[in-house]
């Protein structure tokens, strides 16, 4: 009988593809008699056939052993019942951690997940030393500080002051604007007047207006200011703020060096969390993970979403300036009793914001006048812009589904 078995074994080894069915038949015939059998091969070196090796489990003729079973060693030989030899199934296939369901197709893991304050992040445990993922959650960005927008005034050279042409004498001690019905006699300046001495529209002394001297007070219209230029926006840069981490939570996923199967149910052997039952930040969770924000399924039902980046569209609205406002100019206006600006009667500063009205000696002659620009203020502009716009939002989500 041993010769027949020897012939079968040689035939099985000498085929191009060894037959697992033949090897299984050999084991079933041989093992009741011996623990293993030394057979000569096709070459010079003998080949040992004996109990199923761990790498053969699951093949035809090599079923997965039950825990405590001595492998394929049978009742005798080196395996023994529940034997502890190299052929024993117990030591070869036992899981030193937890047997958990494997990750579905397209998912990563299982992994040990930690999350908590960024400054409390631990190192990966020795049983799962590889960092498989790092991400963040709970984004709380600091308010964006924008620079203050300012406006430089228009160039003074673009502002001009037009001398008033409306000069009038009044037959009362108050100008016509203050005493309606008071007779007024024009003392107007000529068109396109540049302020040089002029005797245009002179009023002689003691001119009568209805029994009253025509000249008892003098009014001068306010000059007008024109600004052709525009304000220039300017940015007052704020101090550079200190960088602050906008994330309040950090996530860390740790992976073992390799995955092994648990015997019997084909589940995955995973290292046990350092403190079983203690959730982060005190411990780890056993999870699988997938890119994007996806739905969790049995038995990994506890969902956590973390992010790998930030989409920051924040900025500041551009600075701008409104139209110039508050421009003004001032002139020195002088009146003379003669026609050549030789005998001064009065001089007054007249602003573009307020017309002039002054009392004169009754019946005095208004023979000539002159004026010159004293000052021009181009005014300023109201700034706009410099307001925060946009937003900072989390990006690159990943979903972790964990065992409860």
């Amino acid at each position: 009988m041993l010769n027949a078995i020897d012939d079968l074994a040689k035939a099985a080894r000498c085929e191009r593809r060894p037959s697992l069915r033949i090897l299984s038949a050999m084991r079933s015939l041989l093992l009741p008699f011996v623990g293993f059998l030394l057979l000569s091969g096709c070459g010079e070196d003998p080949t040992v056939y004996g109990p199923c090796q761990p790498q053969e489990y699951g093949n035809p003729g090599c079923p997965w052993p039950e825990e405590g079973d001595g492998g394929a060693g049978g009742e005798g030989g080196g395996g023994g019942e529940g034997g502890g030899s190299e052929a024993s199934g117990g030591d070869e296939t036992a899981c030193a951690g937890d047997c958990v369901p494997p990750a579905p197709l397209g998912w990563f893991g299982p992994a040990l997940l930690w999350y908590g304050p960024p400054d409390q992040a631990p190192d990966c445990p020795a049983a799962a030393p590889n960092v498989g993922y790092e991400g963040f959650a709970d984004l709380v960005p600091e308010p964006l500080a924008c620079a203050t927008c300012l406006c430089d005034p228009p160039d003074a050279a673009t502002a001009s002051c037009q001398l008033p042409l409306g000069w009038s004498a009044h037959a009362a001690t108050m100008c016509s604007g203050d005493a309606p019905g008071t007779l007024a006699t024009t003392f107007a300046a000529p068109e396109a007047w540049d302020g040089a001495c002029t005797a245009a529209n002179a009023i002689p002394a003691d001119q009568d207006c209805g029994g009253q001297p025509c000249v008892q007070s003098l009014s001068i219209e306010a000059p007008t200011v024109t600004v052709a230029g525009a304000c220039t926006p300017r940015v007052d840069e704020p101090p550079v703020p200190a960088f602050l981490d906008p994330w309040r939570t950090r996530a860390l996923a740790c992976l073992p060096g390799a995955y092994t199967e648990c015997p019997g149910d084909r589940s995955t052997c995973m290292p046990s969390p350092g403190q079983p039952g203690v959730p982060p930040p005190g411990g780890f969770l056993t999870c699988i993970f997938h890119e994007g924000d996806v739905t969790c399924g049995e038995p990994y039902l506890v969902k956590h979403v973390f992010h790998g980046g930030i989409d920051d569209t924040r900025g500041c609205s551009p600075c701008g300036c409104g139209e110039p406002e508050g421009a003004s100019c001032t002139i020195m206006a002088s009146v003379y009793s003669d026609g050549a600006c030789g005998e001064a009667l009065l001089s007054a500063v007249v602003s573009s914001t307020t017309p002039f009205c002054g009392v004169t000696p009754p019946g005095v002659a208004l023979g000539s006048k002159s004026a010159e620009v004293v000052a021009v203020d181009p005014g300023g502009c109201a700034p706009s812009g410099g307001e925060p716009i946009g937003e900072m939002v989390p990006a690159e989500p990943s979903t972790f589904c964990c065992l409860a």
Side-chain angles (χ1 to χ4, degrees):
M1 180 176 180
L2 291 177
N3 290 334
I5 295 173
D6 184 55
D7 292 338
L8 287 172
K10 287 182 178 180
R13 293 195 70 248
C14 294
E15 290 180 358
R16 180 177 297 272
R17 295 184 178 178
S19 171
L20 292 174
R21 183 175 298 174
I22 294 175
L23 296 179
S24 178
M26 290 168 56
R27 289 191 178 95
S28 62
L29 292 172
L30 177 62
L31 292 180
F33 298 98
V34 293
F36 64 87
L37 181 65
L38 183 65
L39 299 176
S40 59
C42 296
E44 297 297 328
D45 297 330
T47 302
V48 176
Y49 288 91
C52 292
Q53 299 301 308
Q55 62 268 26
E56 296 175 312
Y57 293 149
N59 291 325
C62 288
W64 290 88
E66 298 295 331
E67 185 174 353
D69 186 4
E75 296 177 357
E81 184 174 354
S85 72
E86 183 174 307
S88 169
D91 291 342
E92 291 287 345
T93 59
C95 177
D98 297 324
C99 291
V100 300
L105 184 64
W107 288 71
F108 300 97
L112 295 181
L113 171 67
W114 177 92
Y115 59 87
D119 59 352
Q120 298 181 20
D123 294 329
C124 283
N130 302 309
V131 176
Y133 175 84
E134 288 184 286
F136 304 90
D138 302 324
L139 180 65
V140 184
E142 292 292 324
L144 181 65
C146 290
T148 301
C149 291
L150 303 174
C151 289
D152 290 333
D155 189 342
T158 65
S160 60
C161 187
Q162 286 76 47
L163 298 175
L165 303 182
W167 299 53
S168 299
H170 301 273
T173 55
M174 292 185 294
C175 300
S176 60
D178 298 322
T182 302
L183 293 177
T185 303
T186 182
F187 183 49
E191 292 292 332
W193 184 42
D194 61 1
C197 181
T198 178
N201 298 308
I203 301 174
D206 298 325
Q207 181 169 316
D208 182 75
C209 290
Q212 296 287 334
C214 290
V215 179
Q216 298 184 51
S217 61
L218 175 69
S219 66
I220 305 173
E221 292 179 349
T224 57
V225 60
T226 302
V227 180
C231 293
T232 304
R234 176 167 55 88
V235 176
D236 184 17
E237 292 289 349
V240 178
F243 175 77
L244 298 176
D245 188 353
W247 298 104
R248 296 295 181 264
T249 300
R250 180 186 174 191
L252 176 69
C254 301
L255 303 175
Y259 292 105
T260 58
E261 289 185 339
C262 292
D265 59 0
R266 299 296 182 87
S267 58
T268 299
C269 180
M270 270 295 293
S272 298
Q275 301 183 56
V278 178
F284 288 81
L285 298 176
T286 300
C287 312
I288 57 175
F289 59 103
H290 196 290
E291 292 181 349
D293 190 343
V294 297
T295 302
C296 294
E298 289 280 359
Y300 295 96
L301 291 176
V302 181
K303 180 178 178 179
H304 300 276
V305 177
F306 302 102
H307 297 85
I310 291 173
D311 186 6
D312 192 353
T313 61
R314 297 177 304 166
C316 299
S317 58
C319 291
C321 297
E323 293 297 321
E325 299 175 343
S328 64
C329 68
T330 303
I331 66 170
M332 177 64 74
S334 299
V335 179
Y336 305 88
S337 58
D338 67 319
C341 298
E343 298 178 7
L345 180 63
L346 64 85
S347 292
V349 174
V350 183
S351 169
S352 59
T353 60
T354 308
F356 171 80
C357 177
V359 177
T360 64
V364 69
L366 303 181
S368 57
K369 53 188 166 290
S370 65
E372 61 178 335
V373 176
V374 176
V376 179
D377 181 0
C381 304
S384 61
E387 300 294 332
I389 56 176
E391 60 181 349
M392 177 189 286
V393 295
E396 303 171 22
S398 291
T399 300
F400 280 75
C401 299
C402 305
L403 295 175

